[in-house]
Amino acid sequence: MIHHPARWPTQLLAGSLLVAMASGAGAQMYRWVDEDGQVHFSDAPPTEAGRYDREVLDRRGLVVERLERAQTAEEREREQARQAAEAETTRREAEQARADRILLQSFGSERELLHARDDRLAMVDGNINLVRNKLSSLQEQHEEALGRAQRLQAQDRELPENLQRRLSSLERQILRQEEQLVARQQEREALVERFNRDLQRLRQLRQEREDPAS
């Protein structure tokens, strides 16, 4: 391997390179500069050269390829994190573009969107009322059965097995209906929030179409 200080004249550098090429019988050469500014030439890339950017030279001394130094583990992690962040940004942008297309295709105006919102809310409100009515009926039945059980207990009488089963069944049904009521109410809140977002986005997209410069 031939070493050459970076401060040597260009003519001497070229001469040394040609000598190295000739002795290598036309084999390609590698050139790199270390952290001290020393220029190195070799007919094979030494292991330590992986720490530096390198140039591959042909027999005329012309650069035919440039090789980047090997990344450190920390640099690889940063690069992987950067690529992952870029991929996530690209995914989100594509997802937003798709959502925008669907929004514009689905609603030609704000009025259409508001009508769709009101129709969906009416359906959800109808389901909520059904659950509330069912829950109210079950609670009334439970109160009636519980009152009967309390009267029997006041008379020191044993509760019939069917009454015990009915109380347990009503309690389970009441619990399920309460859970359904909470779920339906949450569904309504999420629906209102989604339509509000869609309305704001539709306004923005229509404004951008009307005034592209904005």
Side-chain angles (χ1 to χ4, degrees):
M1 180 176 67
I2 301 174
H3 301 275
H4 200 299
R7 64 178 179 275
W8 285 10
T10 304
Q11 294 84 352
L12 290 178
L13 176 60
S16 298
L17 178 60
L18 290 174
V19 171
M21 294 296 181
S23 63
Q28 65 181 12
M29 297 290 291
Y30 296 87
R31 176 176 63 193
W32 69 94
V33 181
D34 64 21
E35 61 270 14
D36 297 323
Q38 293 285 335
V39 178
H40 300 262
F41 294 91
S42 174
D43 57 359
T47 303
E48 65 270 15
R51 295 183 299 159
Y52 311 107
D53 293 338
R54 304 178 303 287
E55 294 177 334
V56 181
L57 311 176
D58 63 13
R59 62 183 303 163
R60 296 171 298 172
L62 300 178
V63 176
V64 296
E65 185 179 4
R66 287 184 171 83
L67 305 173
E68 295 184 356
R69 67 178 177 83
Q71 292 182 323
T72 64
E74 183 177 325
E75 288 173 332
R76 286 195 298 271
E77 289 179 1
R78 286 201 301 266
E79 178 62 17
Q80 291 172 356
R82 184 191 66 79
Q83 292 178 359
E86 287 185 355
E88 177 63 15
T89 298
T90 300
R91 185 193 66 80
R92 290 184 179 181
E93 289 175 349
E95 187 176 294
Q96 183 63 60
R98 177 177 176 275
D100 290 344
R101 287 195 302 273
I102 294 175
L103 186 62
L104 289 169
Q105 292 169 359
S106 301
F107 307 109
S109 66
E110 293 182 19
R111 178 174 295 182
E112 290 183 10
L113 186 147
L114 293 174
H115 281 319
R117 180 200 63 185
D118 293 343
D119 289 344
R120 289 291 303 278
L121 288 176
M123 291 177 59
V124 174
D125 287 340
N127 289 332
I128 289 175
N129 288 332
L130 288 175
V131 174
R132 282 176 174 166
N133 292 336
K134 178 68 173 178
L135 178 60
S136 178
S137 175
L138 290 170
Q139 288 171 336
E140 290 178 1
Q141 295 176 53
H142 183 264
E143 289 179 4
E144 180 183 351
L146 184 60
R148 180 184 171 192
Q150 290 173 344
R151 288 192 297 271
L152 291 173
Q153 289 174 340
Q155 299 171 7
D156 292 330
R157 296 173 59 184
E158 185 177 354
L159 297 182
E161 186 176 344
N162 62 343
L163 179 57
Q164 296 180 33
R165 288 198 302 268
R166 179 168 175 74
L167 283 170
S168 298
S169 174
L170 287 169
E171 289 168 359
R172 289 194 299 270
Q173 293 181 66
I174 287 172
L175 179 60
R176 285 198 297 269
Q177 292 300 315
E178 289 175 340
E179 292 173 346
Q180 286 191 30
L181 181 58
V182 171
R184 295 293 181 271
Q185 291 171 334
Q186 291 176 342
E187 178 186 352
R188 190 185 197 283
E189 293 173 0
L191 188 63
V192 170
E193 183 179 348
R194 195 196 79 191
F195 269 101
N196 286 340
R197 289 197 307 268
D198 286 347
L199 179 60
Q200 294 299 320
R201 184 59 178 169
L202 182 62
R203 287 172 177 170
Q204 181 181 352
L205 292 172
R206 291 175 63 84
Q207 182 178 358
E208 291 175 356
R209 281 190 169 187
E210 295 172 0
D211 185 11
S214 62

PDB file of all heavy atoms in Angstrom, residues 3 25 27 33 35 37 45 70 80 88 90 94 104-105 120 126 129 134-135 160 175 189 207:
ATOM      1  N   HIS A   3       1.312   5.317   0.698  1.00  0.00           N
ATOM      2  CA  HIS A   3       0.747   6.450   1.440  1.00  0.00           C
ATOM      3  C   HIS A   3       1.271   7.731   0.819  1.00  0.00           C
ATOM      4  O   HIS A   3       2.413   7.800   0.377  1.00  0.00           O
ATOM      5  CB  HIS A   3       1.154   6.394   2.922  1.00  0.00           C
ATOM      6  CG  HIS A   3       0.708   5.134   3.594  1.00  0.00           C
ATOM      7  ND1 HIS A   3      -0.544   4.986   4.126  1.00  0.00           N
ATOM      8  CD2 HIS A   3       1.359   3.963   3.786  1.00  0.00           C
ATOM      9  CE1 HIS A   3      -0.644   3.779   4.644  1.00  0.00           C
ATOM     10  NE2 HIS A   3       0.514   3.137   4.445  1.00  0.00           N
ATOM     11  N   ALA A  25      -0.147  -4.111 -12.272  1.00  0.00           N
ATOM     12  CA  ALA A  25      -0.514  -4.790 -13.520  1.00  0.00           C
ATOM     13  C   ALA A  25      -1.928  -4.468 -13.936  1.00  0.00           C
ATOM     14  O   ALA A  25      -2.687  -5.325 -14.361  1.00  0.00           O
ATOM     15  CB  ALA A  25      -0.328  -6.291 -13.365  1.00  0.00           C
ATOM     16  N   ALA A  27      -4.431  -3.509 -12.078  1.00  0.00           N
ATOM     17  CA  ALA A  27      -5.504  -3.721 -11.107  1.00  0.00           C
ATOM     18  C   ALA A  27      -6.052  -2.393 -10.632  1.00  0.00           C
ATOM     19  O   ALA A  27      -5.338  -1.391 -10.605  1.00  0.00           O
ATOM     20  CB  ALA A  27      -4.971  -4.521  -9.920  1.00  0.00           C
ATOM     21  N   VAL A  33      -8.595   9.374   2.300  1.00  0.00           N
ATOM     22  CA  VAL A  33      -7.893  10.335   3.167  1.00  0.00           C
ATOM     23  C   VAL A  33      -8.294  10.037   4.601  1.00  0.00           C
ATOM     24  O   VAL A  33      -9.486   9.955   4.916  1.00  0.00           O
ATOM     25  CB  VAL A  33      -8.267  11.785   2.803  1.00  0.00           C
ATOM     26  CG1 VAL A  33      -7.512  12.774   3.710  1.00  0.00           C
ATOM     27  CG2 VAL A  33      -7.960  12.063   1.338  1.00  0.00           C
ATOM     28  N   GLU A  35      -8.091  10.633   8.959  1.00  0.00           N
ATOM     29  CA  GLU A  35      -8.439  11.781   9.799  1.00  0.00           C
ATOM     30  C   GLU A  35      -7.284  12.762   9.970  1.00  0.00           C
ATOM     31  O   GLU A  35      -7.498  13.918  10.364  1.00  0.00           O
ATOM     32  CB  GLU A  35      -8.914  11.299  11.187  1.00  0.00           C
ATOM     33  CG  GLU A  35      -7.885  10.518  11.981  1.00  0.00           C
ATOM     34  CD  GLU A  35      -7.965   9.027  11.696  1.00  0.00           C
ATOM     35  OE1 GLU A  35      -8.623   8.639  10.713  1.00  0.00           O
ATOM     36  OE2 GLU A  35      -7.366   8.253  12.468  1.00  0.00           O
ATOM     37  N   GLY A  37      -5.444  13.705   7.445  1.00  0.00           N
ATOM     38  CA  GLY A  37      -5.243  14.339   6.149  1.00  0.00           C
ATOM     39  C   GLY A  37      -4.307  13.577   5.242  1.00  0.00           C
ATOM     40  O   GLY A  37      -3.935  14.079   4.174  1.00  0.00           O
ATOM     41  N   PRO A  45      -8.780  -2.787  -0.630  1.00  0.00           N
ATOM     42  CA  PRO A  45      -9.231  -1.926   0.473  1.00  0.00           C
ATOM     43  C   PRO A  45      -8.910  -2.542   1.824  1.00  0.00           C
ATOM     44  O   PRO A  45      -9.488  -3.579   2.180  1.00  0.00           O
ATOM     45  CB  PRO A  45     -10.742  -1.834   0.251  1.00  0.00           C
ATOM     46  CG  PRO A  45     -11.084  -3.089  -0.477  1.00  0.00           C
ATOM     47  CD  PRO A  45      -9.901  -3.425  -1.321  1.00  0.00           C
ATOM     48  N   ALA A  70     -18.229   2.820   6.140  1.00  0.00           N
ATOM     49  CA  ALA A  70     -19.207   2.019   6.866  1.00  0.00           C
ATOM     50  C   ALA A  70     -19.776   2.824   8.030  1.00  0.00           C
ATOM     51  O   ALA A  70     -19.048   3.550   8.715  1.00  0.00           O
ATOM     52  CB  ALA A  70     -18.548   0.745   7.384  1.00  0.00           C
ATOM     53  N   GLN A  80     -31.979   4.198  10.455  1.00  0.00           N
ATOM     54  CA  GLN A  80     -33.178   3.367  10.480  1.00  0.00           C
ATOM     55  C   GLN A  80     -34.357   4.135  11.066  1.00  0.00           C
ATOM     56  O   GLN A  80     -35.485   4.022  10.565  1.00  0.00           O
ATOM     57  CB  GLN A  80     -32.917   2.097  11.295  1.00  0.00           C
ATOM     58  CG  GLN A  80     -31.957   1.127  10.629  1.00  0.00           C
ATOM     59  CD  GLN A  80     -31.562  -0.020  11.543  1.00  0.00           C
ATOM     60  OE1 GLN A  80     -31.948  -0.063  12.708  1.00  0.00           O
ATOM     61  NE2 GLN A  80     -30.778  -0.957  11.025  1.00  0.00           N
ATOM     62  N   GLU A  88     -43.457   6.432   7.812  1.00  0.00           N
ATOM     63  CA  GLU A  88     -44.696   6.726   8.526  1.00  0.00           C
ATOM     64  C   GLU A  88     -45.344   8.000   8.003  1.00  0.00           C
ATOM     65  O   GLU A  88     -46.566   8.078   7.845  1.00  0.00           O
ATOM     66  CB  GLU A  88     -44.409   6.851  10.026  1.00  0.00           C
ATOM     67  CG  GLU A  88     -45.608   7.228  10.878  1.00  0.00           C
ATOM     68  CD  GLU A  88     -46.706   6.177  10.848  1.00  0.00           C
ATOM     69  OE1 GLU A  88     -46.448   5.043  10.412  1.00  0.00           O
ATOM     70  OE2 GLU A  88     -47.834   6.510  11.272  1.00  0.00           O
ATOM     71  N   THR A  90     -45.009   9.200   4.962  1.00  0.00           N
ATOM     72  CA  THR A  90     -45.555   8.862   3.644  1.00  0.00           C
ATOM     73  C   THR A  90     -46.866   8.109   3.780  1.00  0.00           C
ATOM     74  O   THR A  90     -47.824   8.376   3.044  1.00  0.00           O
ATOM     75  CB  THR A  90     -44.542   8.008   2.860  1.00  0.00           C
ATOM     76  OG1 THR A  90     -43.328   8.755   2.696  1.00  0.00           O
ATOM     77  CG2 THR A  90     -45.087   7.649   1.491  1.00  0.00           C
ATOM     78  N   ALA A  94     -50.495   9.452   2.440  1.00  0.00           N
ATOM     79  CA  ALA A  94     -51.296   8.668   1.502  1.00  0.00           C
ATOM     80  C   ALA A  94     -52.680   8.380   2.086  1.00  0.00           C
ATOM     81  O   ALA A  94     -53.690   8.439   1.377  1.00  0.00           O
ATOM     82  CB  ALA A  94     -50.577   7.357   1.176  1.00  0.00           C
ATOM     83  N   LEU A 104     -64.554  14.171  -0.631  1.00  0.00           N
ATOM     84  CA  LEU A 104     -65.014  15.016  -1.735  1.00  0.00           C
ATOM     85  C   LEU A 104     -65.993  14.268  -2.639  1.00  0.00           C
ATOM     86  O   LEU A 104     -66.927  14.870  -3.190  1.00  0.00           O
ATOM     87  CB  LEU A 104     -63.818  15.510  -2.543  1.00  0.00           C
ATOM     88  CG  LEU A 104     -62.930  16.551  -1.844  1.00  0.00           C
ATOM     89  CD1 LEU A 104     -61.641  16.767  -2.634  1.00  0.00           C
ATOM     90  CD2 LEU A 104     -63.681  17.860  -1.665  1.00  0.00           C
ATOM     91  N   GLN A 105     -65.760  12.966  -2.799  1.00  0.00           N
ATOM     92  CA  GLN A 105     -66.666  12.179  -3.636  1.00  0.00           C
ATOM     93  C   GLN A 105     -68.005  11.931  -2.944  1.00  0.00           C
ATOM     94  O   GLN A 105     -69.038  11.803  -3.601  1.00  0.00           O
ATOM     95  CB  GLN A 105     -66.017  10.840  -3.995  1.00  0.00           C
ATOM     96  CG  GLN A 105     -64.819  10.967  -4.929  1.00  0.00           C
ATOM     97  CD  GLN A 105     -64.041   9.665  -5.058  1.00  0.00           C
ATOM     98  OE1 GLN A 105     -64.394   8.663  -4.430  1.00  0.00           O
ATOM     99  NE2 GLN A 105     -62.998   9.669  -5.868  1.00  0.00           N
ATOM    100  N   ARG A 120     -77.445   9.883  10.450  1.00  0.00           N
ATOM    101  CA  ARG A 120     -76.722   8.912  11.269  1.00  0.00           C
ATOM    102  C   ARG A 120     -77.025   9.111  12.754  1.00  0.00           C
ATOM    103  O   ARG A 120     -77.207   8.140  13.492  1.00  0.00           O
ATOM    104  CB  ARG A 120     -75.215   9.038  11.020  1.00  0.00           C
ATOM    105  CG  ARG A 120     -74.758   8.555   9.662  1.00  0.00           C
ATOM    106  CD  ARG A 120     -74.886   7.035   9.559  1.00  0.00           C
ATOM    107  NE  ARG A 120     -74.145   6.361  10.606  1.00  0.00           N
ATOM    108  CZ  ARG A 120     -72.838   6.114  10.562  1.00  0.00           C
ATOM    109  NH1 ARG A 120     -72.117   6.497   9.504  1.00  0.00           N
ATOM    110  NH2 ARG A 120     -72.237   5.483  11.554  1.00  0.00           N
ATOM    111  N   GLY A 126     -82.062   6.613  17.935  1.00  0.00           N
ATOM    112  CA  GLY A 126     -83.121   5.609  17.991  1.00  0.00           C
ATOM    113  C   GLY A 126     -82.665   4.373  18.740  1.00  0.00           C
ATOM    114  O   GLY A 126     -83.417   3.815  19.560  1.00  0.00           O
ATOM    115  N   ASN A 129     -82.557   5.134  22.456  1.00  0.00           N
ATOM    116  CA  ASN A 129     -83.890   5.121  23.067  1.00  0.00           C
ATOM    117  C   ASN A 129     -84.392   3.698  23.276  1.00  0.00           C
ATOM    118  O   ASN A 129     -85.032   3.398  24.299  1.00  0.00           O
ATOM    119  CB  ASN A 129     -84.869   5.908  22.195  1.00  0.00           C
ATOM    120  CG  ASN A 129     -84.617   7.409  22.259  1.00  0.00           C
ATOM    121  OD1 ASN A 129     -84.106   7.913  23.265  1.00  0.00           O
ATOM    122  ND2 ASN A 129     -84.963   8.119  21.203  1.00  0.00           N
ATOM    123  N   LYS A 134     -85.670  -0.539  27.065  1.00  0.00           N
ATOM    124  CA  LYS A 134     -85.451  -1.893  27.529  1.00  0.00           C
ATOM    125  C   LYS A 134     -84.904  -1.900  28.948  1.00  0.00           C
ATOM    126  O   LYS A 134     -85.347  -2.701  29.800  1.00  0.00           O
ATOM    127  CB  LYS A 134     -84.468  -2.592  26.582  1.00  0.00           C
ATOM    128  CG  LYS A 134     -84.115  -4.015  26.972  1.00  0.00           C
ATOM    129  CD  LYS A 134     -85.297  -4.941  26.837  1.00  0.00           C
ATOM    130  CE  LYS A 134     -84.904  -6.376  27.065  1.00  0.00           C
ATOM    131  NZ  LYS A 134     -86.064  -7.314  26.995  1.00  0.00           N
ATOM    132  N   LEU A 135     -83.969  -1.005  29.210  1.00  0.00           N
ATOM    133  CA  LEU A 135     -83.384  -0.918  30.541  1.00  0.00           C
ATOM    134  C   LEU A 135     -84.436  -0.515  31.572  1.00  0.00           C
ATOM    135  O   LEU A 135     -84.495  -1.084  32.674  1.00  0.00           O
ATOM    136  CB  LEU A 135     -82.232   0.101  30.532  1.00  0.00           C
ATOM    137  CG  LEU A 135     -81.536   0.357  31.864  1.00  0.00           C
ATOM    138  CD1 LEU A 135     -80.928  -0.935  32.412  1.00  0.00           C
ATOM    139  CD2 LEU A 135     -80.452   1.420  31.695  1.00  0.00           C
ATOM    140  N   PRO A 160     -88.678 -18.637  46.736  1.00  0.00           N
ATOM    141  CA  PRO A 160     -88.782 -19.705  45.735  1.00  0.00           C
ATOM    142  C   PRO A 160     -87.579 -19.691  44.802  1.00  0.00           C
ATOM    143  O   PRO A 160     -87.006 -18.639  44.497  1.00  0.00           O
ATOM    144  CB  PRO A 160     -90.079 -19.355  44.984  1.00  0.00           C
ATOM    145  CG  PRO A 160     -90.835 -18.468  45.916  1.00  0.00           C
ATOM    146  CD  PRO A 160     -89.815 -17.717  46.690  1.00  0.00           C
ATOM    147  N   LEU A 175     -77.396  -5.204  33.677  1.00  0.00           N
ATOM    148  CA  LEU A 175     -75.984  -4.876  33.518  1.00  0.00           C
ATOM    149  C   LEU A 175     -75.611  -4.790  32.044  1.00  0.00           C
ATOM    150  O   LEU A 175     -74.910  -3.858  31.623  1.00  0.00           O
ATOM    151  CB  LEU A 175     -75.123  -5.914  34.233  1.00  0.00           C
ATOM    152  CG  LEU A 175     -73.607  -5.711  34.144  1.00  0.00           C
ATOM    153  CD1 LEU A 175     -73.213  -4.368  34.741  1.00  0.00           C
ATOM    154  CD2 LEU A 175     -72.869  -6.851  34.826  1.00  0.00           C
ATOM    155  N   GLU A 189     -71.017  10.203  20.558  1.00  0.00           N
ATOM    156  CA  GLU A 189     -69.999  11.238  20.751  1.00  0.00           C
ATOM    157  C   GLU A 189     -68.920  11.144  19.677  1.00  0.00           C
ATOM    158  O   GLU A 189     -68.480  12.163  19.131  1.00  0.00           O
ATOM    159  CB  GLU A 189     -69.379  11.106  22.144  1.00  0.00           C
ATOM    160  CG  GLU A 189     -70.344  11.418  23.285  1.00  0.00           C
ATOM    161  CD  GLU A 189     -69.743  11.122  24.645  1.00  0.00           C
ATOM    162  OE1 GLU A 189     -68.575  10.667  24.680  1.00  0.00           O
ATOM    163  OE2 GLU A 189     -70.435  11.327  25.665  1.00  0.00           O
ATOM    164  N   GLN A 207     -62.078  25.253  -0.066  1.00  0.00           N
ATOM    165  CA  GLN A 207     -61.402  26.559  -0.142  1.00  0.00           C
ATOM    166  C   GLN A 207     -60.125  26.453  -0.961  1.00  0.00           C
ATOM    167  O   GLN A 207     -59.808  27.349  -1.752  1.00  0.00           O
ATOM    168  CB  GLN A 207     -61.094  27.066   1.268  1.00  0.00           C
ATOM    169  CG  GLN A 207     -60.442  28.450   1.278  1.00  0.00           C
ATOM    170  CD  GLN A 207     -60.182  28.950   2.693  1.00  0.00           C
ATOM    171  OE1 GLN A 207     -60.524  28.284   3.664  1.00  0.00           O
ATOM    172  NE2 GLN A 207     -59.592  30.120   2.802  1.00  0.00           N
TER     173      GLN A 207
END
